[in-house]
Coordinates of all heavy atoms in Angstrom, one line a residue:
I332 N 40.5 64.5 115.9 CA 40.3 65.6 115.1 C 39.8 65.3 113.8 O 40.3 64.4 113.0 CB 41.8 66.3 114.9 CG1 42.3 66.7 116.3 CG2 41.7 67.6 114.1 CD1 43.7 67.2 116.3
V333 N 38.7 66.0 113.4 CA 38.1 65.8 112.1 C 38.2 67.1 111.3 O 37.7 68.1 111.8 CB 36.6 65.3 112.3 CG1 36.0 65.1 110.9 CG2 36.6 64.1 113.1
S334 N 38.7 67.0 110.1 CA 38.8 68.1 109.2 C 37.5 68.3 108.5 O 37.0 67.4 107.9 CB 39.9 68.0 108.2 OG 39.7 66.9 107.5
N335 N 36.9 69.4 108.6 CA 35.6 69.8 108.0 C 35.8 70.8 106.9 O 36.3 71.9 107.1 CB 34.6 70.3 109.0 CG 33.2 70.4 108.5 OD1 33.0 69.9 107.4 ND2 32.3 71.1 109.2
E336 N 35.5 70.4 105.6 CA 35.7 71.3 104.6 C 34.6 72.4 104.6 O 33.5 72.1 104.9 CB 35.8 70.5 103.2 CG 36.9 69.5 103.2 CD 36.8 68.8 101.8 OE1 35.9 69.0 101.0 OE2 37.7 68.0 101.5
I337 N 34.9 73.6 104.1 CA 34.0 74.6 104.1 C 33.0 74.4 102.8 O 33.4 74.0 101.8 CB 34.7 76.0 103.8 CG1 35.6 76.3 104.9 CG2 33.7 77.1 103.6 CD1 36.4 77.6 104.8
P338 N 31.7 74.2 103.1 CA 30.7 73.9 102.0 C 30.9 75.0 100.9 O 31.3 76.2 101.1 CB 29.3 74.1 102.7 CG 29.7 74.0 104.1 CD 31.0 74.5 104.4
A339 N 30.6 74.5 99.6 CA 30.9 75.3 98.4 C 29.8 76.5 98.4 O 30.1 77.6 98.0 CB 30.7 74.5 97.2
M340 N 28.5 76.3 98.8 CA 27.6 77.2 98.7 C 27.7 78.5 99.4 O 27.6 79.6 99.0 CB 26.1 76.6 99.0 CG 25.6 75.7 97.9 SD 25.4 76.6 96.3 CE 26.8 76.0 95.5
P341 N 28.2 78.4 100.9 CA 28.5 79.6 101.5 C 29.6 80.5 100.8 O 29.6 81.7 100.8 CB 28.9 79.2 102.9 CG 28.1 77.9 103.0 CD 28.1 77.3 101.7
V342 N 30.6 79.7 100.3 CA 31.6 80.4 99.6 C 31.1 81.2 98.4 O 31.4 82.3 98.1 CB 32.8 79.4 99.2 CG1 33.8 80.2 98.3 CG2 33.4 78.8 100.3
E343 N 30.3 80.5 97.6 CA 29.6 81.1 96.5 C 28.8 82.3 96.9 O 28.6 83.3 96.2 CB 28.8 80.2 95.7 CG 29.6 79.1 95.0 CD 30.4 79.7 93.8 OE1 30.1 80.9 93.4 OE2 31.4 79.1 93.4
L344 N 28.0 82.2 98.0 CA 27.2 83.2 98.5 C 28.1 84.5 98.9 O 27.7 85.6 98.7 CB 26.4 82.7 99.8 CG 25.4 83.7 100.4 CD1 24.4 84.3 99.3 CD2 24.7 83.1 101.6
D345 N 29.2 84.2 99.7 CA 30.0 85.4 100.0 C 30.6 86.0 98.7 O 30.6 87.3 98.7 CB 31.2 84.9 100.8 CG 30.7 84.4 102.2 OD1 29.6 84.7 102.6 OD2 31.4 83.6 102.8
A346 N 31.0 85.2 97.8 CA 31.4 85.9 96.5 C 30.3 86.7 95.8 O 30.5 87.7 95.2 CB 32.0 84.8 95.5
W347 N 29.1 86.1 95.9 CA 28.1 86.8 95.2 C 27.7 88.1 95.9 O 27.4 89.1 95.3 CB 26.9 85.9 95.1 CG 25.7 86.3 94.5 CD1 24.3 86.2 94.9 CD2 25.5 87.0 93.2 NE1 23.5 86.7 94.0 CE2 24.1 87.3 92.9 CE3 26.4 87.4 92.2 CZ2 23.7 87.8 91.8 CZ3 26.0 88.1 91.0 CH2 24.6 88.3 90.9
L348 N 27.7 88.0 97.4 CA 27.5 89.3 98.0 C 28.5 90.4 97.7 O 28.2 91.6 97.6 CB 27.4 89.0 99.5 CG 26.2 88.3 100.1 CD1 26.4 87.8 101.6 CD2 24.9 89.1 99.8
N349 N 29.8 90.0 97.6 CA 30.8 90.9 97.4 C 30.7 91.5 95.9 O 30.9 92.8 95.7 CB 32.3 90.3 97.5 CG 32.6 89.8 98.8 OD1 32.1 90.4 99.8 ND2 33.3 88.8 99.0
R350 N 30.2 90.7 95.0 CA 30.1 91.2 93.7 C 28.8 92.2 93.6 O 28.9 93.2 92.9 CB 29.8 90.0 92.8 CG 29.7 90.3 91.3 CD 29.8 89.2 90.4 NE 29.9 89.4 89.0 CZ 30.1 88.6 88.0 NH1 30.4 87.3 88.4 NH2 30.1 88.9 86.8
L351 N 27.8 91.9 94.3 CA 26.6 92.7 94.3 C 26.9 94.0 95.1 O 26.4 95.1 94.6 CB 25.4 92.0 94.9 CG 24.8 90.9 94.1 CD1 23.6 90.3 94.8 CD2 24.2 91.5 92.8
S352 N 27.7 93.9 96.1 CA 28.0 95.1 96.9 C 28.8 96.1 96.1 O 28.6 97.3 96.1 CB 28.8 94.7 98.2 OG 28.0 93.9 99.0
A353 N 29.8 95.5 95.3 CA 30.6 96.4 94.4 C 29.7 97.0 93.3 O 29.8 98.1 92.9 CB 31.7 95.5 93.8
F354 N 28.8 96.2 92.8 CA 27.9 96.7 91.8 C 27.0 97.8 92.3 O 26.7 98.8 91.7 CB 27.0 95.6 91.2 CG 26.0 96.0 90.2 CD1 26.3 96.5 89.0 CD2 24.6 96.2 90.7 CE1 25.2 96.9 88.1 CE2 23.7 96.7 89.8 CZ 24.0 97.0 88.6
A355 N 26.5 97.6 93.5 CA 25.6 98.7 94.1 C 26.4 100.0 94.4 O 26.0 101.1 94.1 CB 25.1 98.2 95.5
A356 N 27.7 99.9 94.8 CA 28.5 101.1 95.1 C 28.8 101.8 93.7 O 28.6 103.0 93.6 CB 29.7 100.7 95.8
S357 N 29.2 101.0 92.7 CA 29.4 101.6 91.4 C 28.1 102.2 90.8 O 28.2 103.2 90.1 CB 30.0 100.5 90.4 OG 30.1 101.0 89.1
A358 N 27.0 101.5 90.9 CA 25.8 102.0 90.3 C 25.3 103.3 91.1 O 24.8 104.3 90.4 CB 24.6 101.0 90.5
A359 N 25.5 103.3 92.4 CA 25.1 104.6 93.2 C 26.0 105.7 92.7 O 25.5 106.9 92.5 CB 25.3 104.3 94.6
K360 N 27.3 105.4 92.5 CA 28.1 106.6 92.0 C 27.7 107.0 90.7 O 27.7 108.3 90.4 CB 29.6 106.0 92.1 CG 30.7 107.1 91.7 CD 32.0 106.7 91.9 CE 33.1 107.8 91.5 NZ 32.9 108.4 90.3
T361 N 27.4 106.1 89.8 CA 27.0 106.5 88.4 C 25.7 107.3 88.5 O 25.5 108.3 87.7 CB 26.8 105.2 87.6 OG1 28.0 104.4 87.5 CG2 26.4 105.6 86.2
A362 N 24.8 106.9 89.4 CA 23.5 107.6 89.5 C 23.7 109.0 90.0 O 23.1 110.0 89.6 CB 22.6 106.8 90.3
S363 N 24.7 109.2 91.0 CA 24.9 110.5 91.6 C 25.6 111.4 90.5 O 25.4 112.6 90.5 CB 25.9 110.4 92.7 OG 27.1 109.8 92.4
D364 N 26.2 110.8 89.5 CA 26.9 111.6 88.4 C 25.9 111.9 87.3 O 26.3 112.5 86.3 CB 28.1 110.8 87.9 CG 29.3 110.7 88.9 OD1 29.2 111.5 89.9 OD2 30.1 109.8 88.7
G365 N 24.7 111.4 87.4 CA 23.7 111.7 86.5 C 23.6 110.7 85.3 O 22.9 110.9 84.3
G366 N 24.3 109.5 85.4 CA 24.3 108.6 84.4 C 23.3 107.5 84.6 O 22.6 107.6 85.6
S367 N 23.2 106.5 83.7 CA 22.2 105.5 83.8 C 22.8 104.3 84.7 O 23.9 103.7 84.3 CB 21.9 104.9 82.4 OG 21.0 103.9 82.5
A368 N 22.2 104.1 85.8 CA 22.9 103.2 86.8 C 22.3 101.7 86.6 O 22.9 100.9 87.2 CB 22.5 103.7 88.2
G369 N 21.2 101.5 85.8 CA 20.8 100.2 85.6 C 21.6 99.4 84.8 O 22.5 99.8 84.0
S370 N 21.5 98.0 84.9 CA 22.3 97.1 84.2 C 21.4 95.9 83.9 O 20.5 95.5 84.7 CB 23.6 96.7 84.9 OG 24.2 95.7 84.2
K371 N 21.6 95.2 82.7 CA 21.1 94.0 82.5 C 21.6 92.9 83.5 O 22.7 92.9 83.8 CB 21.4 93.5 81.1 CG 20.6 94.3 80.0 CD 19.1 94.2 80.0 CE 18.5 95.1 78.9 NZ 17.1 95.0 79.0
V372 N 20.6 91.9 83.8 CA 21.0 91.1 85.0 C 22.0 90.1 84.4 O 22.9 89.6 85.2 CB 19.7 90.3 85.4 CG1 19.2 89.3 84.4 CG2 19.9 89.6 86.7
Q373 N 22.1 89.8 83.1 CA 23.1 88.9 82.7 C 24.5 89.4 82.8 O 25.5 88.6 82.9 CB 22.8 88.4 81.2 CG 22.7 89.5 80.2 CD 21.3 90.0 80.0 OE1 20.5 89.9 80.9 NE2 21.0 90.6 78.9
D374 N 24.6 90.7 82.8 CA 25.9 91.3 82.9 C 26.5 91.1 84.2 O 27.7 91.1 84.5 CB 25.9 92.8 82.5 CG 25.5 93.0 81.1 OD1 25.7 92.1 80.3 OD2 24.9 94.2 80.8
T375 N 25.6 90.9 85.3 CA 26.0 90.7 86.6 C 26.2 89.3 87.0 O 27.1 88.9 87.7 CB 25.0 91.4 87.5 OG1 24.8 92.8 87.2 CG2 25.5 91.4 89.0
L376 N 25.3 88.5 86.5 CA 25.4 87.1 86.8 C 26.5 86.3 86.1 O 27.1 85.4 86.6 CB 24.1 86.4 86.2 CG 22.8 86.7 87.1 CD1 21.6 86.0 86.5 CD2 22.9 86.3 88.6
L377 N 26.9 86.7 84.9 CA 28.0 86.1 84.1 C 29.2 86.9 84.1 O 29.1 88.1 84.4 CB 27.3 86.0 82.6 CG 26.1 85.1 82.5 CD1 25.7 85.1 81.1 CD2 26.3 83.7 83.1
P378 N 30.3 86.3 83.9 CA 30.5 84.9 83.4 C 30.5 84.0 84.7 O 31.0 84.4 85.8 CB 31.9 84.9 82.8 CG 32.6 86.1 83.5 CD 31.6 87.1 83.8
A379 N 29.9 82.8 84.5 CA 29.9 81.7 85.5 C 29.5 80.5 84.8 O 28.9 80.5 83.7 CB 29.0 82.2 86.7
S380 N 29.5 79.4 85.6 CA 29.1 78.1 85.0 C 27.5 78.1 85.2 O 27.0 79.1 85.9 CB 29.7 76.9 85.8 OG 29.3 77.0 87.2
F381 N 26.9 77.2 84.6 CA 25.5 77.1 84.6 C 25.0 76.9 86.0 O 24.0 77.6 86.4 CB 24.9 75.9 83.8 CG 23.5 75.8 83.8 CD1 22.6 76.7 83.1 CD2 22.8 74.9 84.5 CE1 21.2 76.6 83.1 CE2 21.5 74.7 84.6 CZ 20.6 75.6 83.8
A382 N 25.7 76.0 86.8 CA 25.2 75.8 88.3 C 25.3 77.1 89.1 O 24.5 77.4 89.8 CB 26.0 74.7 88.8
V383 N 26.5 77.8 88.9 CA 26.7 79.1 89.7 C 25.8 80.1 89.3 O 25.2 80.9 90.1 CB 28.2 79.5 89.6 CG1 28.3 80.8 90.3 CG2 29.1 78.4 90.2
A384 N 25.6 80.3 88.0 CA 24.6 81.2 87.5 C 23.2 81.1 87.9 O 22.4 81.9 88.3 CB 24.7 81.3 86.0
S385 N 22.8 79.8 88.0 CA 21.5 79.4 88.5 C 21.3 79.7 89.9 O 20.3 80.2 90.4 CB 21.1 77.9 88.2 OG 21.2 77.6 86.8
Y386 N 22.3 79.4 90.8 CA 22.3 79.6 92.1 C 22.3 81.3 92.4 O 21.4 81.6 93.3 CB 23.6 79.1 92.8 CG 23.7 79.4 94.3 CD1 22.9 78.8 95.2 CD2 24.7 80.4 94.7 CE1 23.0 79.1 96.5 CE2 24.8 80.6 96.0 CZ 24.0 80.0 97.0 OH 24.1 80.3 98.2
R387 N 23.0 81.9 91.6 CA 23.0 83.4 91.8 C 21.5 83.9 91.5 O 21.0 84.8 92.2 CB 24.0 84.1 91.0 CG 25.4 83.8 91.4 CD 26.4 84.4 90.4 NE 27.8 84.1 90.9 CZ 28.9 84.5 90.2 NH1 28.7 85.1 89.0 NH2 30.1 84.3 90.6

Side-chain angles (χ1 to χ4, degrees):
I332 301 176
V333 179
S334 60
N335 190 11
E336 298 180 357
I337 300 176
M340 284 300 102
V342 175
E343 290 294 340
L344 179 59
D345 293 339
W347 183 224
L348 285 175
N349 294 333
R350 188 167 183 171
L351 286 178
S352 300
F354 172 77
S357 176
K360 184 177 183 303
T361 304
S363 63
D364 295 339
S367 177
S370 175
K371 294 293 184 181
V372 71
Q373 59 266 23
D374 298 336
T375 308
L376 292 176
L377 301 176
S380 64
F381 178 79
V383 174
S385 300
Y386 175 72
R387 293 174 177 176

